[in-house]
PDB file of all heavy atoms in Angstrom:
ATOM      1  N   VAL B  29      14.675   2.883  10.864  1.00  0.00           N
ATOM      2  CA  VAL B  29      13.545   3.335  10.003  1.00  0.00           C
ATOM      3  C   VAL B  29      13.398   2.290   8.962  1.00  0.00           C
ATOM      4  O   VAL B  29      14.284   1.823   8.278  1.00  0.00           O
ATOM      5  CB  VAL B  29      13.853   4.728   9.352  1.00  0.00           C
ATOM      6  CG1 VAL B  29      15.172   4.754   8.606  1.00  0.00           C
ATOM      7  CG2 VAL B  29      12.631   5.191   8.427  1.00  0.00           C
ATOM      8  N   ASP B  30      12.119   1.841   8.755  1.00  0.00           N
ATOM      9  CA  ASP B  30      11.833   0.710   7.849  1.00  0.00           C
ATOM     10  C   ASP B  30      11.612   1.295   6.485  1.00  0.00           C
ATOM     11  O   ASP B  30      10.578   1.733   6.032  1.00  0.00           O
ATOM     12  CB  ASP B  30      10.506   0.047   8.333  1.00  0.00           C
ATOM     13  CG  ASP B  30      10.178  -1.193   7.421  1.00  0.00           C
ATOM     14  OD1 ASP B  30      11.091  -1.566   6.773  1.00  0.00           O
ATOM     15  OD2 ASP B  30       8.996  -1.592   7.452  1.00  0.00           O
ATOM     16  N   ILE B  31      12.763   1.253   5.675  1.00  0.00           N
ATOM     17  CA  ILE B  31      12.652   1.803   4.374  1.00  0.00           C
ATOM     18  C   ILE B  31      12.856   0.683   3.374  1.00  0.00           C
ATOM     19  O   ILE B  31      13.794  -0.260   3.605  1.00  0.00           O
ATOM     20  CB  ILE B  31      13.796   2.891   4.163  1.00  0.00           C
ATOM     21  CG1 ILE B  31      13.481   4.080   5.026  1.00  0.00           C
ATOM     22  CG2 ILE B  31      13.907   3.306   2.674  1.00  0.00           C
ATOM     23  CD1 ILE B  31      14.567   5.091   5.043  1.00  0.00           C
ATOM     24  N   ASP B  32      12.143   0.684   2.304  1.00  0.00           N
ATOM     25  CA  ASP B  32      12.211  -0.368   1.252  1.00  0.00           C
ATOM     26  C   ASP B  32      13.447  -0.207   0.474  1.00  0.00           C
ATOM     27  O   ASP B  32      13.488   0.527  -0.507  1.00  0.00           O
ATOM     28  CB  ASP B  32      11.009  -0.224   0.349  1.00  0.00           C
ATOM     29  CG  ASP B  32      10.900  -1.464  -0.579  1.00  0.00           C
ATOM     30  OD1 ASP B  32      11.873  -2.126  -0.875  1.00  0.00           O
ATOM     31  OD2 ASP B  32       9.738  -1.808  -0.979  1.00  0.00           O
ATOM     32  N   ALA B  33      14.545  -0.891   0.914  1.00  0.00           N
ATOM     33  CA  ALA B  33      15.859  -0.736   0.203  1.00  0.00           C
ATOM     34  C   ALA B  33      15.771  -1.218  -1.275  1.00  0.00           C
ATOM     35  O   ALA B  33      16.437  -0.661  -2.113  1.00  0.00           O
ATOM     36  CB  ALA B  33      16.868  -1.681   0.977  1.00  0.00           C
ATOM     37  N   ALA B  34      14.864  -2.183  -1.585  1.00  0.00           N
ATOM     38  CA  ALA B  34      14.799  -2.571  -2.956  1.00  0.00           C
ATOM     39  C   ALA B  34      14.332  -1.459  -3.854  1.00  0.00           C
ATOM     40  O   ALA B  34      14.758  -1.282  -4.935  1.00  0.00           O
ATOM     41  CB  ALA B  34      13.839  -3.823  -3.042  1.00  0.00           C
ATOM     42  N   GLU B  35      13.319  -0.735  -3.337  1.00  0.00           N
ATOM     43  CA  GLU B  35      12.806   0.403  -4.125  1.00  0.00           C
ATOM     44  C   GLU B  35      13.858   1.465  -4.353  1.00  0.00           C
ATOM     45  O   GLU B  35      14.019   2.064  -5.374  1.00  0.00           O
ATOM     46  CB  GLU B  35      11.582   0.991  -3.506  1.00  0.00           C
ATOM     47  CG  GLU B  35      10.320   0.146  -3.622  1.00  0.00           C
ATOM     48  CD  GLU B  35       9.937   0.047  -5.123  1.00  0.00           C
ATOM     49  OE1 GLU B  35       9.913   1.060  -5.775  1.00  0.00           O
ATOM     50  OE2 GLU B  35       9.694  -1.111  -5.572  1.00  0.00           O
ATOM     51  N   VAL B  36      14.648   1.729  -3.288  1.00  0.00           N
ATOM     52  CA  VAL B  36      15.770   2.702  -3.375  1.00  0.00           C
ATOM     53  C   VAL B  36      16.703   2.283  -4.385  1.00  0.00           C
ATOM     54  O   VAL B  36      17.236   3.022  -5.280  1.00  0.00           O
ATOM     55  CB  VAL B  36      16.361   2.973  -2.030  1.00  0.00           C
ATOM     56  CG1 VAL B  36      17.504   3.943  -2.219  1.00  0.00           C
ATOM     57  CG2 VAL B  36      15.256   3.632  -1.045  1.00  0.00           C
ATOM     58  N   ALA B  37      17.165   1.019  -4.335  1.00  0.00           N
ATOM     59  CA  ALA B  37      18.148   0.459  -5.283  1.00  0.00           C
ATOM     60  C   ALA B  37      17.572   0.529  -6.678  1.00  0.00           C
ATOM     61  O   ALA B  37      18.327   0.849  -7.656  1.00  0.00           O
ATOM     62  CB  ALA B  37      18.457  -0.993  -4.924  1.00  0.00           C
ATOM     63  N   LYS B  38      16.312   0.228  -6.896  1.00  0.00           N
ATOM     64  CA  LYS B  38      15.687   0.306  -8.206  1.00  0.00           C
ATOM     65  C   LYS B  38      15.802   1.719  -8.756  1.00  0.00           C
ATOM     66  O   LYS B  38      16.142   1.931  -9.948  1.00  0.00           O
ATOM     67  CB  LYS B  38      14.184  -0.067  -8.090  1.00  0.00           C
ATOM     68  CG  LYS B  38      13.443  -0.019  -9.476  1.00  0.00           C
ATOM     69  CD  LYS B  38      11.984  -0.442  -9.248  1.00  0.00           C
ATOM     70  CE  LYS B  38      11.238  -0.341 -10.518  1.00  0.00           C
ATOM     71  NZ  LYS B  38       9.816  -0.620 -10.355  1.00  0.00           N
ATOM     72  N   GLY B  39      15.529   2.713  -7.939  1.00  0.00           N
ATOM     73  CA  GLY B  39      15.665   4.124  -8.350  1.00  0.00           C
ATOM     74  C   GLY B  39      17.064   4.402  -8.729  1.00  0.00           C
ATOM     75  O   GLY B  39      17.325   5.109  -9.744  1.00  0.00           O
ATOM     76  N   ARG B  40      18.108   3.881  -7.975  1.00  0.00           N
ATOM     77  CA  ARG B  40      19.406   4.113  -8.340  1.00  0.00           C
ATOM     78  C   ARG B  40      19.831   3.477  -9.619  1.00  0.00           C
ATOM     79  O   ARG B  40      20.491   4.093 -10.466  1.00  0.00           O
ATOM     80  CB  ARG B  40      20.378   3.601  -7.173  1.00  0.00           C
ATOM     81  CG  ARG B  40      21.897   3.776  -7.483  1.00  0.00           C
ATOM     82  CD  ARG B  40      22.734   3.195  -6.406  1.00  0.00           C
ATOM     83  NE  ARG B  40      22.451   3.814  -5.101  1.00  0.00           N
ATOM     84  CZ  ARG B  40      21.961   3.277  -4.044  1.00  0.00           C
ATOM     85  NH1 ARG B  40      21.457   2.035  -4.130  1.00  0.00           N
ATOM     86  NH2 ARG B  40      21.802   3.901  -2.912  1.00  0.00           N
ATOM     87  N   THR B  41      19.312   2.356  -9.876  1.00  0.00           N
ATOM     88  CA  THR B  41      19.681   1.618 -11.123  1.00  0.00           C
ATOM     89  C   THR B  41      19.049   2.289 -12.381  1.00  0.00           C
ATOM     90  O   THR B  41      19.726   2.364 -13.361  1.00  0.00           O
ATOM     91  CB  THR B  41      19.155   0.143 -11.096  1.00  0.00           C
ATOM     92  OG1 THR B  41      19.748  -0.476  -9.909  1.00  0.00           O
ATOM     93  CG2 THR B  41      19.518  -0.612 -12.311  1.00  0.00           C
ATOM     94  N   ASN B  42      17.847   2.713 -12.265  1.00  0.00           N
ATOM     95  CA  ASN B  42      17.104   3.171 -13.450  1.00  0.00           C
ATOM     96  C   ASN B  42      17.420   4.673 -13.811  1.00  0.00           C
ATOM     97  O   ASN B  42      17.397   4.993 -14.989  1.00  0.00           O
ATOM     98  CB  ASN B  42      15.627   3.034 -13.217  1.00  0.00           C
ATOM     99  CG  ASN B  42      15.235   1.563 -13.244  1.00  0.00           C
ATOM    100  OD1 ASN B  42      16.023   0.677 -13.666  1.00  0.00           O
ATOM    101  ND2 ASN B  42      14.001   1.274 -12.754  1.00  0.00           N
ATOM    102  N   ALA B  43      17.635   5.452 -12.827  1.00  0.00           N
ATOM    103  CA  ALA B  43      17.623   6.926 -13.201  1.00  0.00           C
ATOM    104  C   ALA B  43      18.662   7.734 -12.415  1.00  0.00           C
ATOM    105  O   ALA B  43      18.667   8.971 -12.490  1.00  0.00           O
ATOM    106  CB  ALA B  43      16.289   7.502 -12.992  1.00  0.00           C
ATOM    107  N   GLY B  44      19.626   7.075 -11.687  1.00  0.00           N
ATOM    108  CA  GLY B  44      20.671   7.875 -11.088  1.00  0.00           C
ATOM    109  C   GLY B  44      20.302   8.511  -9.762  1.00  0.00           C
ATOM    110  O   GLY B  44      19.239   8.276  -9.162  1.00  0.00           O
ATOM    111  N   PRO B  45      21.154   9.416  -9.302  1.00  0.00           N
ATOM    112  CA  PRO B  45      21.002   9.979  -7.944  1.00  0.00           C
ATOM    113  C   PRO B  45      19.637  10.681  -7.729  1.00  0.00           C
ATOM    114  O   PRO B  45      19.109  10.626  -6.622  1.00  0.00           O
ATOM    115  CB  PRO B  45      22.131  10.975  -7.903  1.00  0.00           C
ATOM    116  CG  PRO B  45      23.104  10.506  -8.862  1.00  0.00           C
ATOM    117  CD  PRO B  45      22.330   9.900  -9.974  1.00  0.00           C
ATOM    118  N   ALA B  46      19.089  11.376  -8.679  1.00  0.00           N
ATOM    119  CA  ALA B  46      17.904  12.102  -8.533  1.00  0.00           C
ATOM    120  C   ALA B  46      16.763  11.073  -8.235  1.00  0.00           C
ATOM    121  O   ALA B  46      15.816  11.343  -7.372  1.00  0.00           O
ATOM    122  CB  ALA B  46      17.461  12.911  -9.750  1.00  0.00           C
ATOM    123  N   ALA B  47      16.710   9.972  -8.921  1.00  0.00           N
ATOM    124  CA  ALA B  47      15.744   9.009  -8.680  1.00  0.00           C
ATOM    125  C   ALA B  47      15.895   8.282  -7.338  1.00  0.00           C
ATOM    126  O   ALA B  47      14.916   7.926  -6.703  1.00  0.00           O
ATOM    127  CB  ALA B  47      15.743   7.914  -9.782  1.00  0.00           C
ATOM    128  N   VAL B  48      17.124   8.185  -6.887  1.00  0.00           N
ATOM    129  CA  VAL B  48      17.406   7.613  -5.579  1.00  0.00           C
ATOM    130  C   VAL B  48      16.719   8.480  -4.544  1.00  0.00           C
ATOM    131  O   VAL B  48      16.042   8.039  -3.600  1.00  0.00           O
ATOM    132  CB  VAL B  48      18.915   7.453  -5.301  1.00  0.00           C
ATOM    133  CG1 VAL B  48      19.119   6.991  -3.847  1.00  0.00           C
ATOM    134  CG2 VAL B  48      19.525   6.514  -6.260  1.00  0.00           C
ATOM    135  N   ALA B  49      16.959   9.798  -4.641  1.00  0.00           N
ATOM    136  CA  ALA B  49      16.422  10.747  -3.683  1.00  0.00           C
ATOM    137  C   ALA B  49      14.917  10.687  -3.669  1.00  0.00           C
ATOM    138  O   ALA B  49      14.245  10.634  -2.621  1.00  0.00           O
ATOM    139  CB  ALA B  49      16.946  12.198  -3.978  1.00  0.00           C
ATOM    140  N   GLN B  50      14.335  10.711  -4.826  1.00  0.00           N
ATOM    141  CA  GLN B  50      12.800  10.685  -4.940  1.00  0.00           C
ATOM    142  C   GLN B  50      12.205   9.444  -4.418  1.00  0.00           C
ATOM    143  O   GLN B  50      11.265   9.416  -3.630  1.00  0.00           O
ATOM    144  CB  GLN B  50      12.377  10.931  -6.412  1.00  0.00           C
ATOM    145  CG  GLN B  50      12.770  12.269  -6.961  1.00  0.00           C
ATOM    146  CD  GLN B  50      11.859  13.437  -6.481  1.00  0.00           C
ATOM    147  OE1 GLN B  50      10.784  13.113  -5.928  1.00  0.00           O
ATOM    148  NE2 GLN B  50      12.251  14.656  -6.626  1.00  0.00           N
ATOM    149  N   THR B  51      12.862   8.285  -4.802  1.00  0.00           N
ATOM    150  CA  THR B  51      12.349   7.010  -4.354  1.00  0.00           C
ATOM    151  C   THR B  51      12.529   6.837  -2.853  1.00  0.00           C
ATOM    152  O   THR B  51      11.617   6.385  -2.177  1.00  0.00           O
ATOM    153  CB  THR B  51      13.005   5.852  -5.046  1.00  0.00           C
ATOM    154  OG1 THR B  51      12.964   6.065  -6.464  1.00  0.00           O
ATOM    155  CG2 THR B  51      12.396   4.500  -4.796  1.00  0.00           C
ATOM    156  N   PHE B  52      13.656   7.277  -2.336  1.00  0.00           N
ATOM    157  CA  PHE B  52      13.905   7.144  -0.902  1.00  0.00           C
ATOM    158  C   PHE B  52      12.898   7.987  -0.154  1.00  0.00           C
ATOM    159  O   PHE B  52      12.322   7.445   0.777  1.00  0.00           O
ATOM    160  CB  PHE B  52      15.341   7.707  -0.578  1.00  0.00           C
ATOM    161  CG  PHE B  52      15.572   7.802   0.893  1.00  0.00           C
ATOM    162  CD1 PHE B  52      15.890   6.641   1.615  1.00  0.00           C
ATOM    163  CD2 PHE B  52      15.580   9.070   1.516  1.00  0.00           C
ATOM    164  CE1 PHE B  52      16.094   6.731   3.013  1.00  0.00           C
ATOM    165  CE2 PHE B  52      15.814   9.148   2.872  1.00  0.00           C
ATOM    166  CZ  PHE B  52      16.095   8.012   3.609  1.00  0.00           C
ATOM    167  N   ALA B  53      12.648   9.216  -0.521  1.00  0.00           N
ATOM    168  CA  ALA B  53      11.702  10.053   0.280  1.00  0.00           C
ATOM    169  C   ALA B  53      10.310   9.466   0.143  1.00  0.00           C
ATOM    170  O   ALA B  53       9.547   9.533   1.123  1.00  0.00           O
ATOM    171  CB  ALA B  53      11.722  11.508  -0.377  1.00  0.00           C
ATOM    172  N   ALA B  54       9.982   8.893  -0.985  1.00  0.00           N
ATOM    173  CA  ALA B  54       8.673   8.268  -1.117  1.00  0.00           C
ATOM    174  C   ALA B  54       8.477   7.057  -0.225  1.00  0.00           C
ATOM    175  O   ALA B  54       7.317   6.650   0.065  1.00  0.00           O
ATOM    176  CB  ALA B  54       8.373   7.913  -2.579  1.00  0.00           C
ATOM    177  N   THR B  55       9.601   6.475   0.174  1.00  0.00           N
ATOM    178  CA  THR B  55       9.490   5.221   0.970  1.00  0.00           C
ATOM    179  C   THR B  55       9.723   5.419   2.390  1.00  0.00           C
ATOM    180  O   THR B  55       9.545   4.489   3.221  1.00  0.00           O
ATOM    181  CB  THR B  55      10.467   4.117   0.449  1.00  0.00           C
ATOM    182  OG1 THR B  55      11.799   4.702   0.515  1.00  0.00           O
ATOM    183  CG2 THR B  55      10.210   3.682  -0.973  1.00  0.00           C
ATOM    184  N   VAL B  56      10.055   6.639   2.852  1.00  0.00           N
ATOM    185  CA  VAL B  56      10.199   6.946   4.245  1.00  0.00           C
ATOM    186  C   VAL B  56       8.803   6.872   4.842  1.00  0.00           C
ATOM    187  O   VAL B  56       7.911   7.628   4.474  1.00  0.00           O
ATOM    188  CB  VAL B  56      10.800   8.350   4.462  1.00  0.00           C
ATOM    189  CG1 VAL B  56      10.728   8.623   5.947  1.00  0.00           C
ATOM    190  CG2 VAL B  56      12.185   8.458   3.952  1.00  0.00           C
ATOM    191  N   PRO B  57       8.582   6.000   5.816  1.00  0.00           N
ATOM    192  CA  PRO B  57       7.176   5.784   6.400  1.00  0.00           C
ATOM    193  C   PRO B  57       6.652   7.075   7.037  1.00  0.00           C
ATOM    194  O   PRO B  57       7.388   7.827   7.643  1.00  0.00           O
ATOM    195  CB  PRO B  57       7.382   4.649   7.325  1.00  0.00           C
ATOM    196  CG  PRO B  57       8.793   4.699   7.668  1.00  0.00           C
ATOM    197  CD  PRO B  57       9.558   5.166   6.531  1.00  0.00           C
ATOM    198  N   ALA B  58       5.339   7.216   6.988  1.00  0.00           N
ATOM    199  CA  ALA B  58       4.668   8.362   7.549  1.00  0.00           C
ATOM    200  C   ALA B  58       4.903   8.508   9.016  1.00  0.00           C
ATOM    201  O   ALA B  58       4.912   9.647   9.594  1.00  0.00           O
ATOM    202  CB  ALA B  58       3.225   8.310   7.224  1.00  0.00           C
ATOM    203  N   VAL B  59       5.111   7.385   9.745  1.00  0.00           N
ATOM    204  CA  VAL B  59       5.326   7.378  11.147  1.00  0.00           C
ATOM    205  C   VAL B  59       6.541   8.199  11.537  1.00  0.00           C
ATOM    206  O   VAL B  59       6.698   8.786  12.613  1.00  0.00           O
ATOM    207  CB  VAL B  59       5.446   5.963  11.707  1.00  0.00           C
ATOM    208  CG1 VAL B  59       6.771   5.319  11.256  1.00  0.00           C
ATOM    209  CG2 VAL B  59       5.316   5.980  13.269  1.00  0.00           C
ATOM    210  N   GLU B  60       7.428   8.391  10.551  1.00  0.00           N
ATOM    211  CA  GLU B  60       8.685   9.209  10.799  1.00  0.00           C
ATOM    212  C   GLU B  60       8.303  10.613  11.106  1.00  0.00           C
ATOM    213  O   GLU B  60       8.968  11.379  11.875  1.00  0.00           O
ATOM    214  CB  GLU B  60       9.634   9.160   9.668  1.00  0.00           C
ATOM    215  CG  GLU B  60      10.467   7.875   9.637  1.00  0.00           C
ATOM    216  CD  GLU B  60      11.649   7.992  10.643  1.00  0.00           C
ATOM    217  OE1 GLU B  60      12.575   8.742  10.428  1.00  0.00           O
ATOM    218  OE2 GLU B  60      11.472   7.316  11.693  1.00  0.00           O
ATOM    219  N   ALA B  61       7.213  11.117  10.554  1.00  0.00           N
ATOM    220  CA  ALA B  61       6.826  12.515  10.713  1.00  0.00           C
ATOM    221  C   ALA B  61       6.545  12.773  12.248  1.00  0.00           C
ATOM    222  O   ALA B  61       6.808  13.799  12.822  1.00  0.00           O
ATOM    223  CB  ALA B  61       5.595  12.844   9.865  1.00  0.00           C
ATOM    224  N   HIS B  62       5.875  11.745  12.872  1.00  0.00           N
ATOM    225  CA  HIS B  62       5.527  11.890  14.258  1.00  0.00           C
ATOM    226  C   HIS B  62       6.780  11.849  15.118  1.00  0.00           C
ATOM    227  O   HIS B  62       6.906  12.603  16.061  1.00  0.00           O
ATOM    228  CB  HIS B  62       4.620  10.743  14.670  1.00  0.00           C
ATOM    229  CG  HIS B  62       3.323  10.713  13.930  1.00  0.00           C
ATOM    230  ND1 HIS B  62       2.282  11.687  14.094  1.00  0.00           N
ATOM    231  CD2 HIS B  62       2.824   9.911  13.043  1.00  0.00           C
ATOM    232  CE1 HIS B  62       1.271  11.487  13.384  1.00  0.00           C
ATOM    233  NE2 HIS B  62       1.543  10.300  12.622  1.00  0.00           N
ATOM    234  N   THR B  63       7.738  11.071  14.769  1.00  0.00           N
ATOM    235  CA  THR B  63       9.031  11.025  15.490  1.00  0.00           C
ATOM    236  C   THR B  63       9.703  12.288  15.366  1.00  0.00           C
ATOM    237  O   THR B  63      10.227  12.843  16.330  1.00  0.00           O
ATOM    238  CB  THR B  63       9.924   9.892  14.911  1.00  0.00           C
ATOM    239  OG1 THR B  63       9.251   8.622  15.042  1.00  0.00           O
ATOM    240  CG2 THR B  63      11.257   9.801  15.619  1.00  0.00           C
ATOM    241  N   LEU B  64       9.871  12.791  14.104  1.00  0.00           N
ATOM    242  CA  LEU B  64      10.572  14.057  13.896  1.00  0.00           C
ATOM    243  C   LEU B  64       9.878  15.237  14.632  1.00  0.00           C
ATOM    244  O   LEU B  64      10.483  16.119  15.233  1.00  0.00           O
ATOM    245  CB  LEU B  64      10.645  14.372  12.423  1.00  0.00           C
ATOM    246  CG  LEU B  64      11.617  13.409  11.669  1.00  0.00           C
ATOM    247  CD1 LEU B  64      11.532  13.711  10.170  1.00  0.00           C
ATOM    248  CD2 LEU B  64      13.075  13.477  12.135  1.00  0.00           C
ATOM    249  N   ALA B  65       8.542  15.286  14.506  1.00  0.00           N
ATOM    250  CA  ALA B  65       7.815  16.323  15.125  1.00  0.00           C
ATOM    251  C   ALA B  65       8.031  16.356  16.607  1.00  0.00           C
ATOM    252  O   ALA B  65       8.212  17.459  17.253  1.00  0.00           O
ATOM    253  CB  ALA B  65       6.268  16.194  14.867  1.00  0.00           C
ATOM    254  N   ALA B  66       8.017  15.190  17.246  1.00  0.00           N
ATOM    255  CA  ALA B  66       8.291  15.180  18.724  1.00  0.00           C
ATOM    256  C   ALA B  66       9.706  15.667  19.076  1.00  0.00           C
ATOM    257  O   ALA B  66       9.848  16.381  20.040  1.00  0.00           O
ATOM    258  CB  ALA B  66       8.021  13.699  19.178  1.00  0.00           C
TER     259      ALA B  66
END
């Protein structure tokens, strides 16, 4: 899955675990929805 690791790391640096989760979910590409649905 093509996830922007830099954005996830930025969330971890600035605001802790909650920001990591939010930033990670925001960077999961929409194409993953089709994969999971199938």
Side-chain angles (χ1 to χ4, degrees):
V29 56
D30 182 18
I31 295 174
D32 190 335
E35 284 298 313
V36 175
K38 179 181 177 182
R40 180 182 294 111
T41 301
N42 291 345
V48 176
Q50 294 286 342
T51 306
F52 171 75
T55 57
V56 175
V59 69
E60 278 287 282
H62 299 291
T63 301
L64 293 174

